[in-house]
Amino acid sequence: MKAFETFETPSAARVNYINAEYGLKSWLLTRDHKRIALLYLGSISFFFFIGGLYAMFIRLELLTPQGDLLASTTYNKVFTQHGIIMIFFFLIPSIPATLGNFLVPLMIGAKDLAFPRINLLSWYIYLLGGIITIYALLAGGVDTGWTFYAPYSTTFSNSYVIAAGLGIFVSGFSSILTGLNFIVTIHTMRAPGMTWFRLPLFIWAHYATSLVMILGTPVVAITILLLAFERVAHVGIFDPAAGGDPVLFQHLFWFYSHPAVYIMVLPSMGVVSELIANFSRKNIFGYKFVAFSSLAIAVFGFLVWGHHLFVASQSVYAGMIFSFLSFAVAIPSAIKVFNWTATLYKGSISYDTPMLYALGFIGLFTVGGMTGLFLAALAVDVHVSDTYFIVAHFHYIMVGGALFGYLGGLHYWWPKISGRMYPEGWGRFSALVIFVGFNLTFLPQFVAGYLGMPRRYHAYPPEFQVFNVLSSAGASILGVGFLIPMIYLVWSMRYGKLAEANPWHLPGLEWRTASPPPTENFLATPVVTWEAYEFAPVEEMRVIGKFRDEEV
Amino acid sequence: MQTSWLPFIPESASTVSGKVDALYFYLSGVTLFFSLLIGGVITFFVIKYRRRLPNEIPRPIAGSHKLEILWSVIPFIIAMSMFAWGAQIYFQNSRPPKNANEVYVVGKQWMWKIQHSTGQREINELHVPIGRKIKLIMTSEDTIHDFFIPAFRIKADVLPGKYTMQWFEATKPGTYHLFCAEYCGMNHSGMIGSIIVMQPTEFDSWLSGNVNQQSPAVAGQQLFQSLGCVSCHGANGEGGRGPTLAGLFGGKVFLNNNQTLTADESYIRESIENPAAKVVNGFNPIMPTFQGQVTPEQLIQIISYIKSLQISNPQSTTPAAPAAKAAPASQTGATPAPNKQ
Ligand code: HEM
Ligand SMILES: [Cu+2]
Ligand SMILES: [Cu+2]
């Protein structure tokens, strides 16, 4: 007689990827994409915490116009290290390496990524890069700004430029490997029936992101290498005193770093597409437009780097071309926002925490994108370039966008990842606190920027103080807002309510296996017969199990 | 506090600041309108279509190509209007007017050294009259800086080994911020100063209160002799073993590789520091490099001397800056404190 085996009902005792093996070695040598995702989750949370501490010092220093809390050299190191850690060690790996790692195989019905060992290797490389960077910080720090502009970085800075650069150089290889792994996996390991246009938009976004990672990261790696070479040997690449060209550095740097901002925000857009569709129980409006706009952003994002050089002595004609292209690349982002909005129409919208983050994302990303138009408009950028307007703009994109998507996704998939529910009340409360704190921190910076306050200033004229006080007040609310989920998520791993296989009643493949999933993800190979976001009555969304011979 | 009567807008004190503000208002209006529209629609949907029954499943809605095209094309058109407006102002400002007064700016960690073409020197201060066009010719002695005057809505990077330019015409007397806007190391936030805008008559008396100065062109002429340029280019730049320099600036140069270029500041600088890079047709690459022998400031003085050598009126080969005539000939580098008004 055959019995049908599923893992539908929650149970703490059941074998899953977390309790399948015990011991440090079973984690450090694992090849399970889900465990590697957790390794990444731990490490990026650590870096987020460090980066946050630096932010706290920045905001404390700027409470008063005088540079009275930190020495100016210390302040310069603090904002540099804040940027380096947040961008290269938190935001770039955040969604791809944690949620992406965990979910790409689950969502396409695969057992693992295409190259599990390379996946583990990527974490070790990331860790090595992180350790080198931490060494740079402890040895004395680096003060060039996260942008490493020459010739300050090659010739004038007396800080640990090469060590910090090396850390970034090394960690870049971990993103290349992750991108490679995703692309091969998405091409070759989709379950039967999982056609390209049945893929969840999260997968499309990760596909586009992976392209950027593979094509862009080598350029920054080479640039950092040249920078180190110039610093040691003064061969005349970037330093004009030796015959080099400092603007060349800026071109190379932004050729990667503009696309890199899309490495940060595209995965987040993928998460938000999932959240908006699933929490309004609607198929996404204009699926193909949303999917292809990710690719369009990834490709055209490589053509706009010169908008960071409008006042850097770039030719006027180049400036006009880059301005035009920057306006053009804003359109695919606008298309996404419109499609998300249309998806809500006649939906069945719930107000669960992940959805609050998704709605927050749309609002904040819209502000970020709209202010991007100000910066793309040449004459206005001349005035606001290198002021707090820029600082506000990219925080709206990178915190309001990338980080909100990450937090929304983390809550949404938390039951799948941990097998436990997070406390919903606390979740909604902290989402609200973060939203309010964020806006209070960064809205005033737009004003200070247009009034002329330059960025990277340790001391500033007193007329800007009111905006800085508001900003620092907002930052303390924001800080508390981030602490709450850190606490309750850890708490819920032990004390949270046990999660069902499909707590949100959704059709995606990741919800058709147990929470947490078994090591092999699905008991049997899933066969996909439904479209993405095809919402069937709850009882029809079966967990994928298998028949086995057993005496009953 | 340096704000105008409008909230959150800095003082507007140049001929372009109003234009930039107008574009800024246009951008603010359009983006605010669309942000509120999107925000309003989302809020409305989120409330109207909130989940009422735990098991309800709304009917799926297919996408609409018409809508997709509509909301791609309309934003594109609006974006193009922003592009055109911004580019137009930018393009206009990129071409300094011919009749502008030149002021030389040298940035170094962490101060601004400024010299008027009439010789007056200032540090971290720039006195200018209203109603006259001022062109800044800027370079750096060390790393990259940026000369930013919020009240004029202008800024441009100041680079080592290169000249950048920006110009303005002030419209309103007052004292305005000068900021370094490109991170340049330890005391970046201290690399600030004032732009002091005066009535023309006041400015002229400020200038004449500072006559005890040597104009950059005169200083350049002395360097031209002491460095030995005269031995090849002639005592008045009339040429010899080296090409004629009189009338060079702004004119066309034919190189021995058949290329043609217009002689500007950067070309002259390169010819002094790295003469072999571009050799004038008909001459041998015999000129030695002067790299390391002249400071960026001295380079500016030599360039300004060469600029003053115009063929059209040969008698002006001796530079004729009015304030400089009275000056004793030996004061390169003297920097008496400028009169403050
Ligand atoms: C919606 C379209 C967008 C446009 C038109 C736009 C435009 C611009 C422009 C012109 C600048 C340079 C300003 C300057 O340095 O003077 C800039 C800065 C920046 N943008 Fe955007 N942006 C857009 C979206 C984004 C997105 C999606 C991200 C990130 C995911 C982003 C992140 C950044 C960052 C990090 C900087 C400044 C980096 C620095 O100087 O340190 N932007 N943006
Ligand atoms: Cu960019
Ligand atoms: Cu500076």
Side-chain angles (χ1 to χ4, degrees), chain A residues 254 257-259 261-262 301 304-308 326 393:
Chain A
W254 288 112
S257 292
H258 182 82
V261 301
Y262 290 113
V304 300
W305 77 91
H307 65 210
H308 297 271
S326 303
H393 159 72

Side-chain angles (χ1 to χ4, degrees), chain A residues 46-129:
Chain A
F46 169 76
F47 280 107
F48 180 61
F49 189 75
I50 307 279
L53 282 183
Y54 282 127
M56 226 179 65
F57 278 105
I58 296 176
R59 286 317 327 165
L60 273 177
E61 170 65 76
L62 295 180
L63 260 179
T64 57
Q66 306 78 21
D68 41 15
L69 177 70
L70 306 170
S72 56
T73 40
T74 315
Y75 179 79
N76 295 343
K77 286 176 182 167
V78 165
F79 74 68
T80 300
Q81 289 160 189
H82 166 71
I84 290 177
I85 288 195
M86 286 301 203
I87 289 183
F88 296 106
F89 293 94
F90 175 67
L91 278 175
I92 288 180
S94 64
I95 296 182
T98 59
L99 299 176
N101 234 332
F102 198 95
L103 289 153
V104 167
L106 279 169
M107 286 177 129
I108 65 173
K111 284 201 159 95
D112 205 318
L113 287 173
F115 308 114
R117 285 186 186 82
I118 288 186
N119 196 19
L120 181 64
L121 179 66
S122 91
W123 181 68
Y124 277 104
I125 291 177
Y126 166 80
L127 210 62
L128 180 65

Side-chain angles (χ1 to χ4, degrees), chain A residues 87 146-147 254 257-258 260-262 264-265 269 307-311 326-327 329-330 333 365 368-373 375-377 381 384-386 390 393-394 397-398 455-456:
Chain A
I87 289 183
W146 77 278
T147 45
W254 288 112
S257 292
H258 182 82
V261 301
Y262 290 113
M264 302 177 229
V265 86
M269 290 169 155
H307 65 210
H308 297 271
L309 283 80
F310 288 156
V311 297
S326 303
F327 277 110
V329 82
S333 300
F365 180 75
M370 294 284 190
T371 51
L373 300 177
L375 306 179
D381 184 66
V384 295
S385 185
D386 273 311
I390 304 290
H393 159 72
F394 69 74
I397 298 282
M398 303 206 297
R455 67 191 285 203
R456 297 177 171 172

Side-chain angles (χ1 to χ4, degrees), chain A residues 72-73 76 79-80 143-145 149-152 156 240-241 245-247 250 278-286 289 309-317 319-321 323-324 327-328 331 334-335 337-339 341-342 344-352 355 359 362 366-367 370-371 373-374 376-387 389 446-447 449-459 461 463-464 466-467 504-505 535-539 541, chain B residues 1-3 8-11 17 20-21 23-24 27-32 34-35 38 41-42 45-65 67-69 71-73 75-77 79-80 82-91 93-95 109-110 141-144 146 148-162 164 166 177-192 269 291:
Chain A
S72 56
T73 40
N76 295 343
F79 74 68
T80 300
D143 74 341
T144 57
Y149 272 18
Y152 184 71
F156 296 93
D245 181 359
V247 184
Q250 301 181 16
N278 285 322
F279 285 88
S280 53
R281 291 195 183 148
K282 279 275 302 293
N283 58 326
I284 204 97
F285 193 89
F289 286 88
L309 283 80
F310 288 156
V311 297
S313 83
Q314 177 176 253
S315 115
V316 188
Y317 299 99
M320 299 210 294
I321 290 167
S323 164
F324 170 79
F327 277 110
I331 304 300
I335 291 176
V337 171
F338 295 136
N339 281 300
T341 308
L344 297 172
Y345 177 65
K346 293 202 171 164
S348 163
I349 300 168
S350 85
Y351 300 162
D352 294 307
M355 186 61 162
L359 294 171
I362 298 182
T366 301
V367 176
M370 294 284 190
T371 51
L373 300 177
F374 287 63
L378 287 157
V380 171
D381 184 66
V382 168
H383 176 57
V384 295
S385 185
D386 273 311
T387 68
F389 197 96
F446 284 121
V447 179
Y450 199 76
L451 286 174
M453 178 167 168
R455 67 191 285 203
R456 297 177 171 172
Y457 262 33
H458 170 226
E463 71 225 48
F464 298 118
V466 52
F467 307 106
W504 312 110
H505 309 305
F535 291 85
V538 174
E539 46 298 347
M541 292 188 256
Chain B
M1 176 141 168
Q2 275 190 17
T3 45
F8 305 146
I9 298 297
E11 187 78 78
S17 55
V20 173
D21 286 349
L23 173 56
Y24 179 72
L27 291 167
S28 307
V30 173
T31 54
L32 219 61
F34 281 100
S35 303
I38 296 168
V41 170
I42 289 180
F45 285 172
V46 166
I47 294 171
K48 175 122 195 267
Y49 303 116
R50 66 184 176 277
R51 186 166 303 166
R52 289 156 204 270
L53 301 167
N55 280 340
E56 72 187 354
I57 294 188
R59 258 199 300 137
I61 296 178
S64 148
H65 285 245
L67 272 178
E68 301 287 348
I69 290 170
W71 63 44
S72 311
V73 171
F76 185 76
I77 293 171
M80 284 306 107
M82 298 171 172
F83 161 70
W85 192 342
Q88 185 229 345
I89 305 175
Y90 183 74
F91 190 67
N93 288 352
S94 71
R95 333 182 111 196
Q109 286 176 328
W110 291 275
E141 279 183 18
D142 37 48
T143 182
I144 304 179
D146 185 295
F148 174 32
I149 311 171
F152 297 171
R153 314 284 187 276
I154 60 167
K155 103 163 31 86
D157 279 6
V158 176
L159 293 106
K162 189 165 178 173
T164 53
Q166 57 182 342
H177 285 303
L178 158 64
F179 291 132
C180 175
E182 183 63 61
Y183 175 68
C184 57
M186 183 176 83
N187 203 15
H188 166 56
S189 61
M191 193 166 163
I192 59 179
R269 177 192 142 265
Q291 185 143 34

